[in-house]
């Protein structure tokens, strides 16, 4: 199984849990030219009425400035690994199995396939966990 495994520097922002909460945060970045590959939003049960918005990548000075002004920042507690490869049955099971064998407890996993390719994002709690995950996953290739 051939995989392309890289670190992904995500940015996050707190959003209001209401219609338009995410749109309000994304609009200034779009106007600045942002072109995201990954966007994830969810409510935060620990903060009723609020949510979190995660985006990747934030590239360029203009987009970075717009992101900062909109309340986005690079989080200290979310470390992403991006995994890309040819879509095949059982790939995600192999990835999660390898992580389990490596003693890695991830905080979130997102995977999608389009055509013959898949892209997966693995969120980890620490930079050290991300480094270990990359090392473990590179052994699958």
């Amino acid at each position: 199984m051939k995989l392309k495994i890289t670190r992904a520097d995500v940015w996050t922002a707190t959003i209001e849990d209401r219609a338009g909460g995410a749109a309000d945060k994304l609009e200034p970045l779009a106007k600045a030219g942002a072109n995201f590959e990954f966007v994830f939003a969810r409510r935060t049960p620990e903060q009723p009425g609020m949510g979190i918005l995660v985006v990747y990548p934030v590239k360029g000075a203009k987009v970075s400035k717009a992101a900062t002004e909109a309340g986005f920042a690079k989080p200290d507690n979310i470390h992403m690994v991006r995994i890309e490869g040819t879509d095949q049955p059982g790939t995600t099971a192999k990835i999660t199995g390898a992580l389990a064998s490596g003693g890695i407890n991830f905080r979130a996993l997102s995977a999608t396939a389009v055509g013959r390719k898949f892209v997966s994002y693995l969120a980890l709690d620490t930079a050290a966990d991300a480094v270990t995950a990359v090392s473990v996953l590179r052994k699958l290739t």
Side-chain angles (χ1 to χ4, degrees):
M1 167 176 19
K2 185 173 178 168
L3 301 173
K4 181 179 177 184
I5 304 157
T6 55
R7 297 283 302 272
D9 289 329
V10 296
W11 289 52
T12 63
T14 301
I15 58 174
E16 292 181 43
D17 181 11
R18 61 168 176 77
D24 290 347
K25 292 289 185 174
L26 292 172
E27 184 178 352
L29 281 71
K31 286 181 179 177
N35 185 17
F36 298 124
E37 179 180 311
F38 179 83
V39 177
F40 174 79
R42 71 167 176 85
R43 291 179 172 141
T44 51
E46 61 276 10
Q47 285 184 290
M50 301 304 288
I52 185 170
L53 181 60
V54 182
V55 298
Y56 167 81
V58 173
K59 289 184 181 177
K62 190 174 178 182
V63 175
S64 295
K65 182 179 182 208
T68 301
E69 289 174 356
F72 284 85
K74 291 182 185 180
D76 292 333
N77 63 342
I78 301 174
H79 301 270
M80 286 291 233
V81 174
R82 182 182 184 279
I83 309 158
E84 178 182 351
T86 302
D87 186 36
Q88 298 174 351
T91 299
T92 302
K94 289 177 186 172
I95 289 169
T96 56
L99 294 168
S101 294
I104 299 165
N105 183 21
F106 56 87
R107 69 184 293 158
L109 173 69
S110 169
T112 190
V114 177
R116 295 179 181 222
K117 293 281 187 183
F118 84 91
V119 176
S120 181
Y121 288 89
L122 179 66
L124 301 126
D125 292 320
T126 68
D129 287 345
V131 169
T132 303
V134 168
S135 177
V136 165
L137 294 172
R138 286 199 172 136
K139 293 176 185 172
L140 288 175
T141 61

